[in-house]
Structures are given as structure tokens and as C-alpha cells.
Amino acid sequence: MAMSISNIFLSIFTIASLVFSPVLSICDAPSPAFQIPDYDNHGPLLDFTSAKISEAIISLSQRMEYNKTSFSVDVTSQTRGLFEIHHTAKIRSSIRRGAEEINNVTNYRIASITKPFTVLALLQLDKADKLDLDAPVLNYIDELNTPQKGSLPWKDITIRALASQMAGIPRDLAQVDLVTQPDLAAQLGLPRIDKAHGPTCDSLANYTRACNATDLLSYAKTLRPIFAPNQKSSYSNINYDLLGLVIANVSGTSYEDYVTTHILQEIGMNGSSFTTPPDSVAAIPAGIEYYWPFEIGVQNPTGGLYSSSSDMSRFLRYVLSTYNAQATGVNWFNPASFSGSINTFYGMPWEMYRKRTNEIVPELVTTKPLTFITKGGGMPGYTSNIIMIPEHGLGITILVAGNGDAMSEMREIIVSELVDFAERAAAAELKAKYAGTYESTNSSITLKHSMRMACS
Ligand SMILES: *[C@@H]1O[C@H](CO)[C@@H](O)[C@H](O)[C@H]1NC(C)=O
Ligand SMILES: *[C@@H]1O[C@H](CO)[C@@H](O)[C@H](O)[C@H]1NC(C)=O
Ligand SMILES: *[C@@H]1O[C@H](CO)[C@@H](O)[C@H](O)[C@H]1NC(C)=O
Ligand SMILES: *[C@@H]1O[C@H](CO)[C@@H](O)[C@H](O)[C@H]1NC(C)=O
Ligand SMILES: *[C@@H]1O[C@H](CO)[C@@H](O)[C@H](O)[C@H]1NC(C)=O
Ligand SMILES: *[C@@H]1O[C@H](CO)[C@@H](O)[C@H](O)[C@H]1NC(C)=O
Ligand SMILES: *[C@@H]1O[C@H](CO)[C@@H](O)[C@H](O)[C@H]1NC(C)=O
């Protein structure tokens, strides 16, 4: 067989890397390296850490660009809340004020953080043998078996492919996509899009009513794939809209009722709902008030939940304690595919990233990888993030109403301080529990602990 030029380069490269592999190999420290610490034993260090984070975040909130921004931060271990920080915007809406003071029960729109609830429902229903994650979606939605104008290969699109963003289905039904914002498209110099070609519900039609299952299915049946199923990942809200219909069908109740009864009530999230909460507990950003009560109908499974920081912390404690026990053969924290950048991955529906510990906190020296299991959410006026660090047994909730630029800065501050804290707490606990000299009749051994895990 003739060898193409690129094959030759490939084989030279392969040989070179075999020959030089001892030099090229990177020595990784093991992960996990410590047991999850019992944070109750580290009060002073925890107080120091929470004070440092609080000071940095409150100082950030004083900046002019955040004068209409409110937020809630809650940090939890697997067993209890560790600390929380709340901030009420300096400038409030005069049209719709919302809660007088932001606190642990203040509701935000958590938007796409609804997706983990949708997946949890699927995992429960899989465990109860009411559905099979690896069965095609058309087994559960009859309408997808009828003739379509589009060409999505429904028989090859499984529930798992939808949940892990591997279905190849376009992104949106009636929000966000440029095609649903004809005026914006025209402003950008693109040809004006005829409104008649888009969905007639939700934002395209200048919100008159929420989209329903008829709108979703008739639209889905006009779509073409962006790639074949299970080839690679691409974020799609339509995937989750469809999963909501699957849950409704196999559970015999509405999606919202299923999640409310089997998840929110089970976990004790009684301050969370799919219906708009009273203004007295609402974080409503000045200037973007209109989005607070917006019903999204059939799109609820992709982004309809309202929740508070204390309820999200309950959810994170639950997930951190059960992620590998939801359904047989499923570790909910494993990635399903690569995403665009070098160290990011998609799970169901997690957005995961891995970094070396010393890239987050240089002083810690150790190169062991840390895995962050996250989900972000965004709607006009609302930006939210949940972050779990299973190796440390920590969960972080950050909910922002107002200027979402606050999110990335807050996340950096919180994550780096917490990793520093958790690594030091874990090492101290390891030292207290195991370091020392162990003696037997004719022999002895001395164990020491070290933050640095180099290999030689
Ligand atoms: C709030 O911030 C804006 C700029 O983001 C500024 O123009 C305005 O003066 C500020 N208002 C107050 C009361 O600080
Ligand atoms: C619901 O799912 C079942 C399979 O569990 C299927 O037989 C039924 O046709 C589905 N119903 C609808 C309305 O899609
Ligand atoms: C959207 O609806 C509002 C109120 O119904 C109306 O004032 C506005 O002109 C509409 N905008 C467009 C672009 O149709
Ligand atoms: C969705 O809304 C349209 C327009 O109001 C209606 O004709 C249709 O029956 C609705 N479908 C469902 C499933 O409620
Ligand atoms: C949630 O439950 C707590 C006690 O368990 C109660 O104090 C609180 O009022 C409830 N909140 C809502 C919104 O029902
Ligand atoms: C909110 O915080 C207060 C005071 O710390 C606490 O008593 C209450 O139980 C918390 N509420 C929820 C819903 O966790
Ligand atoms: C310990 O060493 C002594 C003397 O060398 C020997 O007699 C004895 O059997 C050893 N005991 C054990 C448990 O190895």
C-alpha cells in the first residue's frame, strides 16, 4: 500500500516518540491523592478562607459596573453548608423591586442548571426500568415515527446521546439562535429572516405564549443534523426539550410534576419551582425585569427552574453523595465526549474540566489533576454556575442577577481559595491520622506526609 506524505510524517513522529519516550513522558502524580477531609476539623482554616473569599468578592461588588448586580454564593461539603455570601444590588428596579434583601432563600432563574434535574429524572426512570438510556428516542415519542420534512436520524438517536449532547441536533427551538432574532440578524448585515419561517411561539413571535409539545415536535421534524449521532458533542437545548417529553410519557405525569415530586421534594428543595415565585423572594435585576416571570413551557426541561442558593447546596450535597449510585453501571461524573478545548469535556449534562493542582494554586506544587464537574446557566439578567470538586467533597453555587461579567471573576477567586484550603486540610488530616513511626518486634517503618508528590 502506497504511503502518503502525511503517513510518512506520522510514522517518523511515531518512531521518534517511541525512541525518546522516557524523555517525553510526563510523570503525573496520582489522583485522588487524599481522603476527603472532615471539614468540621478545620474551623480556623475554614474561617480564614471564607473571610478571604468574602472580602475579595464584596470588594468586586463595589465596582461601578456591578451597581445593579445582586448575587448569592454558597459553599457546601458533602454533609453541611460551609459558608455563604449574599449581596443586594445598590441600584434596584423601580418597576419591580423583588426581594428587599438577598439571602439564602432568594430565588434566581437558574436557567440551564435545570438540565442536571432532567438527567437525574432519567437516571431514576432507568433504574426503575421505565426507560432504557440506550434506546432510541422514537421509542418514547410516537410523533417522531411519522413522516418528516427534515432528516434527523431519529432511530439512531438514543436517550443517552441526547443527554450527553452527542445527538447532532441543532441548538435551539425559539431562543438565542440568530434565526429567532430577525432584527438582530438584520443589524448584523445579514439578510432579513422571514418570521414566517421560524417557530410562532416564545421569542420569535415577540412572546405571546410559551412553546408547547406541538411546536417542538413540528419544528424538530424540519431540522437537519449538524453531524451524525455520537460522532462528537454540540450543545443543544432541543435535546433537553425532547427529554422532557420522554420523562412525561414514561412517568405518566408532566415533566414538572415528576421533577417536583421525585427530586425537589425528595431532596428537600421546597424553595424551588417551575412556576414563578413571589416577588418577595425574587432577585430581579434593574433594567431586565421582563425576564423574571417569563414562562418557557416545553423548554422547561432545558432551563425553566427557579431556585435559591440554599436549595442548590442541598442538591449539590445530594449529587456529591450519590453520583456513582444512581443507576447500575453509571458513574454520573464520567465524561461522555471531548468538547472544544484541551481540558474540557461533556458529561450528562455536566461541563467538566481538569487542571493540574499547581495550575490553580502554584504554591501547592503538586501536579496531580483535579476534576471539576460544573454546569452553567444563563438567561437575560441571570448567570449561574454550580461547581463540584469530588476529590475534595466540595460543592459551590454562584447565582448572579445583573451583570454576568461578575461570574468569571468570582469563580476564579472562590475556586482557587477553596482548592488551596481543601488541599491543606486534606494533607493535615492525612498527617494527623497516618504519619508517624510504626513498630513491630524486629522492624519499624516511618510514614511522612508531603504536599509534593513528585515522581522519579
Ligand atoms: C452605576 O454604574 C454606572 C456604570 O456602570 C454609572 O454610570 C452610574 O453612575 C452608577 N450609579 C451609581 C449610583 O453608582
Ligand atoms: C410512550 O412510550 C411508550 C414506550 O414506553 C410507547 O409505547 C408509547 O407509544 C409512547 N407514547 C407516546 C404518546 O409517545
Ligand atoms: C413586542 O410586543 C410589545 C408589547 O406587546 C410591543 O410593544 C412591541 O412593539 C413588539 N415588538 C416587536 C418587534 O414586534
Ligand atoms: C400548542 O399550541 C397551539 C396554539 O395555541 C395549539 O394549537 C396546540 O394544540 C397546542 N399543543 C399542545 C400539545 O398543547
Ligand atoms: C420549606 O420548609 C421549611 C421547613 O422545612 C419552612 O420553614 C419553609 O417555610 C418552607 N418554604 C417553602 C417555600 O415552602
Ligand atoms: C437560611 O439561613 C437561615 C439562617 O442561617 C437558616 O436558619 C435557614 O434554615 C436557611 N434556610 C434554608 C432554606 O436553608
Ligand atoms: C526477631 O529477631 C530475633 C533475633 O534476631 C529472632 O529470634 C525472632 O524470631 C525475630 N522475631 C520475628 C517476629 O521476626
Side-chain angles (χ1 to χ4, degrees):
M1 196 172 74
M3 210 181 226
S4 73
I5 290 178
S6 63
N7 275 342
I8 293 168
F9 277 116
L10 187 63
S11 20
I12 291 169
F13 179 75
T14 310
I15 293 162
S17 62
L18 286 176
V19 172
F20 297 117
S21 64
V23 179
L24 292 177
S25 78
I26 295 168
C27 183
D28 268 321
S31 179
F34 300 117
Q35 290 177 320
I36 294 173
D38 177 349
Y39 293 108
D40 288 341
N41 299 333
H42 304 278
L45 190 54
L46 177 60
D47 291 345
F48 174 77
T49 305
S50 61
K52 209 167 161 190
I53 291 174
S54 185
E55 192 185 332
I57 285 181
I58 295 301
S59 126
L60 177 104
S61 73
Q62 302 309 310
R63 298 216 309 251
M64 196 110 100
E65 69 258 41
Y66 298 130
N67 62 17
K68 291 180 180 169
T69 302
S70 296
F71 58 80
S72 292
V73 171
D74 194 302
V75 175
T76 186
S77 75
Q78 277 176 291
T79 52
R80 69 170 182 99
L82 297 179
F83 62 91
E84 50 191 280
I85 304 161
H86 304 278
H87 172 74
T88 311
K90 193 188 289 175
I91 301 174
R92 310 282 301 286
S93 167
S94 51
I95 308 168
R96 197 161 184 168
R97 275 181 77 76
E100 279 313 312
E101 197 195 331
I102 302 290
N103 61 28
N104 61 350
V105 298
T106 305
N107 263 253
Y108 295 76
R109 297 209 74 150
I110 61 168
S112 287
I113 300 180
T114 310
K115 291 183 176 75
F117 293 84
T118 302
V119 175
L120 182 52
L122 294 172
L123 296 178
Q124 290 177 347
L125 292 162
D126 177 85
K127 192 175 189 174
D129 272 339
K130 297 216 166 130
L131 63 75
D132 176 357
L133 289 176
D134 295 306
V137 59
L138 51 67
N139 285 14
Y140 306 103
I141 304 179
D142 289 345
E143 180 66 22
L144 297 176
N145 276 308
T146 58
Q148 60 171 348
K149 286 191 217 136
S151 53
L152 283 167
W154 297 110
K155 71 174 174 39
D156 298 324
I157 297 176
T158 62
I159 303 297
R160 192 189 296 275
L162 290 169
S164 48
Q165 303 290 20
M166 294 279 280
I169 297 181
R171 185 180 165 115
D172 276 297
L173 168 59
Q175 288 181 1
V176 187
D177 198 304
L178 206 50
V179 79
T180 65
Q181 301 173 70
D183 299 336
L184 179 60
Q187 273 170 32
L188 293 171
L190 294 165
R192 181 163 280 282
I193 300 159
D194 184 352
K195 281 194 185 191
H197 288 135
T200 53
C201 51
D202 206 336
S203 50
L204 185 76
N206 191 19
Y207 198 84
T208 49
R209 62 174 181 90
C211 295
N212 64 28
T214 313
D215 301 311
L216 169 65
L217 292 172
S218 59
Y219 184 61
K221 286 166 63 184
T222 65
L223 297 172
R224 282 175 295 190
I226 47 180
F227 47 77
N230 292 319
Q231 297 309 302
K232 57 180 189 170
S233 55
S234 172
Y235 198 89
S236 169
N237 287 314
I238 293 179
N239 288 1
Y240 274 76
D241 302 342
L242 293 169
L243 290 172
L245 297 186
V246 171
I247 290 165
N249 178 10
V250 304
S251 70
T253 174
S254 70
Y255 163 83
E256 292 79 5
D257 282 350
Y258 182 87
V259 170
T260 303
T261 309
H262 293 89
I263 300 178
L264 302 181
Q265 287 174 7
E266 280 298 308
I267 299 176
M269 298 176 65
N270 71 345
S272 305
S273 65
F274 287 99
T275 50
T276 311
D279 281 19
S280 59
V281 294
I284 303 181
I288 331 176
E289 304 82 359
Y290 78 96
Y291 220 84
W292 169 250
F294 204 106
E295 296 275 343
I296 62 170
V298 76
Q299 299 172 97
N300 269 338
T302 213
L305 199 58
Y306 294 84
S307 188
S308 66
S309 56
S310 57
D311 268 12
M312 285 313 301
S313 246
R314 284 188 177 84
F315 182 65
L316 296 186
R317 284 194 283 280
Y318 173 80
V319 175
L320 279 165
S321 322
T322 59
Y323 65 87
N324 53 8
Q326 286 298 336
T328 310
V330 177
N331 176 342
W332 196 11
F333 283 177
N334 272 340
S337 70
F338 300 112
S339 100
S341 71
I342 186 82
N343 45 13
T344 60
F345 311 87
Y346 278 118
M348 294 193 298
W350 306 119
E351 289 137 18
M352 308 176 172
Y353 65 96
R354 289 192 109 195
K355 275 203 155 172
R356 294 180 190 286
T357 310
N358 66 340
E359 289 173 320
I360 298 163
V361 186
E363 298 76 34
L364 289 177
V365 185
T366 173
T367 57
K368 79 179 154 97
L370 279 179
T371 305
F372 298 83
I373 311 289
T374 83
K375 187 73 199 85
M379 275 190 179
Y382 297 93
T383 310
S384 35
N385 254 221
I386 51 174
I387 302 162
M388 288 173 282
I389 318 175
E391 176 149 359
H392 296 147
L394 289 175
I396 304 159
T397 300
I398 311 173
L399 305 176
V400 176
N403 182 351
D405 293 350
M407 179 59 78
S408 59
E409 285 186 73
M410 285 168 56
R411 196 173 48 208
E412 288 301 309
I413 295 165
I414 296 166
V415 167
S416 60
E417 292 298 339
L418 276 179
V419 165
D420 195 10
F421 159 65
E423 288 285 314
R424 289 179 198 283
E429 206 155 307
L430 187 82
K431 183 179 180 188
K433 264 192 199 152
Y434 299 110
T437 299
Y438 296 76
E439 288 175 347
S440 143
T441 321
N442 288 348
S443 66
S444 75
I445 186 169
T446 298
L447 299 182
K448 291 181 183 172
H449 93 294
S450 153
M451 290 301 288
R452 188 188 176 105
M453 279 162 293
C455 46
S456 53

